[in-house]
Amino acid sequence: MSSEQPSRLANIALLDGLGNEHKGRLEKRCRWRRYAAGVQILDKNSVDRDVYFVTEGAVQVVNYSMTGREIALARLTAGGYFGELSAIDGRPRSANVVALEDCLLGSLSPRLFIDQIINHPELAVKVLGRLAGIVRNCDERIMDLSTLGAVERVYRQLLRLAEESPVNPGSWIIRSLPTHKAIAAMASTTRETVARSLSQLVSGGIVERKGRILYLRDRDRLEKLAGALDNALEDDVAR
């Protein structure tokens, strides 16, 4: 049995098709750094072009409005990566990246990242899929901002965060509910709106909170509320 330690890149989904030996070589060519929760990792318009692999912890990709409101674009946990846009087109960063939790990141130079794509077509397909997902998410977000009220956006964000319970199939939970500030950034609204929206759902028996876990007790009703007008939302929850 080999005593060789697994590569720190072993959990990176993008690199799943590469062998352990190849991942080990890439690991050695990465620059490694730990970031404490709350630390800004990248600044928008930075000249940094590296691709970052999240091997521990979680980060959030954010932008800020003209009034300073934080707008969350993506949340990445261990196994994810970011920075590919600047590595591909050579342009400045399009957003800021902040550590949500203490994390360990490995950064790979843009030249080495492009080399991997050229030499491993399966990686190129995965990157294309990721870019297509970014476009789709942007389209969806534009539609939400154009057609939904703030409360509706909060409800829809909760639906996006929910996953089916592995213990009780057919029921839905949010394992680690983000802070009101984080949800507000995802839904492009205020912490006060998030707090009020969650309070309405709890009082209406639609969700139940236990610590940082949120149980969706009536997902069907939440889905209906997420498509209603703000006034109808408040009236329905109040009944």
Side-chain angles (χ1 to χ4, degrees), residues 125-169:
V125 172
K126 289 182 179 180
V127 172
L128 285 173
R130 166 72 171 268
L131 297 179
I134 291 174
V135 173
R136 289 180 182 276
N137 288 338
C138 287
D139 287 347
E140 185 174 335
R141 188 156 196 154
I142 291 170
M143 182 62 70
D144 284 356
L145 289 170
S146 301
T147 61
L148 302 177
V151 175
E152 295 167 285
R153 296 199 300 273
V154 172
Y155 291 173
R156 290 205 176 189
Q157 191 58 53
L158 293 177
L159 288 167
R160 292 185 184 112
L161 291 170
E163 58 182 327
E164 191 169 11
S165 170
V167 177
N168 187 14

Side-chain angles (χ1 to χ4, degrees), residues 209-228:
R209 184 170 182 177
K210 294 182 179 180
R212 292 193 63 192
I213 300 178
L214 190 74
Y215 296 86
L216 276 59
R217 298 305 187 193
D218 194 339
R219 181 187 172 95
D220 289 343
R221 190 171 172 211
L222 181 57
E223 289 177 340
K224 291 177 181 177
L225 292 174

Side-chain angles (χ1 to χ4, degrees), residues 60-72:
Q60 185 157 270
V61 183
V62 300
N63 257 329
Y64 297 93
S65 69
M66 294 295 291
T67 59
R69 176 180 294 172
E70 184 180 291
I71 302 169

Side-chain angles (χ1 to χ4, degrees), residues 89-188:
D89 66 13
R91 298 179 62 184
R93 298 296 185 184
S94 59
N96 306 279
V97 181
V98 179
L100 280 178
E101 305 169 359
D102 293 349
C103 56
L104 174 65
L105 306 181
S107 60
L108 190 67
S109 74
R111 182 64 262 167
L112 287 174
F113 178 71
I114 296 298
D115 285 346
Q116 300 310 306
I117 292 176
I118 292 173
N119 295 319
H120 302 276
E122 68 275 18
L123 265 64
V125 172
K126 289 182 179 180
V127 172
L128 285 173
R130 166 72 171 268
L131 297 179
I134 291 174
V135 173
R136 289 180 182 276
N137 288 338
C138 287
D139 287 347
E140 185 174 335
R141 188 156 196 154
I142 291 170
M143 182 62 70
D144 284 356
L145 289 170
S146 301
T147 61
L148 302 177
V151 175
E152 295 167 285
R153 296 199 300 273
V154 172
Y155 291 173
R156 290 205 176 189
Q157 191 58 53
L158 293 177
L159 288 167
R160 292 185 184 112
L161 291 170
E163 58 182 327
E164 191 169 11
S165 170
V167 177
N168 187 14
S171 64
W172 294 80
I173 63 173
I174 299 176
R175 291 176 182 272
S176 183
L177 184 68
T179 64
H180 289 177
K181 178 182 177 182
I183 296 174
M186 296 173 194
S188 301

Side-chain angles (χ1 to χ4, degrees), residues 6-114:
S7 168
R8 284 184 282 189
L9 298 175
N11 69 336
I12 303 300
L14 174 67
L15 307 178
D16 279 348
L18 302 180
N20 292 332
E21 185 177 343
H22 191 108
K23 289 178 185 177
R25 290 197 298 270
L26 273 183
E27 177 186 343
K28 293 177 181 177
R29 305 193 73 174
C30 286
R31 291 188 290 270
W32 293 92
R33 181 175 173 183
R34 291 189 179 275
Y35 295 85
V39 170
Q40 184 150 316
I41 299 165
L42 287 179
D43 295 323
K44 183 178 180 180
N45 297 321
S46 165
V47 295
D48 179 292
R49 301 287 184 271
D50 285 1
V51 174
Y52 288 75
F53 301 113
V54 184
T55 62
E56 296 176 16
V59 305
Q60 185 157 270
V61 183
V62 300
N63 257 329
Y64 297 93
S65 69
M66 294 295 291
T67 59
R69 176 180 294 172
E70 184 180 291
I71 302 169
L73 303 178
R75 181 178 185 273
L76 303 170
T77 57
Y81 69 99
F82 61 90
E84 72 277 17
L85 292 182
S86 290
I88 291 170
D89 66 13
R91 298 179 62 184
R93 298 296 185 184
S94 59
N96 306 279
V97 181
V98 179
L100 280 178
E101 305 169 359
D102 293 349
C103 56
L104 174 65
L105 306 181
S107 60
L108 190 67
S109 74
R111 182 64 262 167
L112 287 174
F113 178 71
I114 296 298

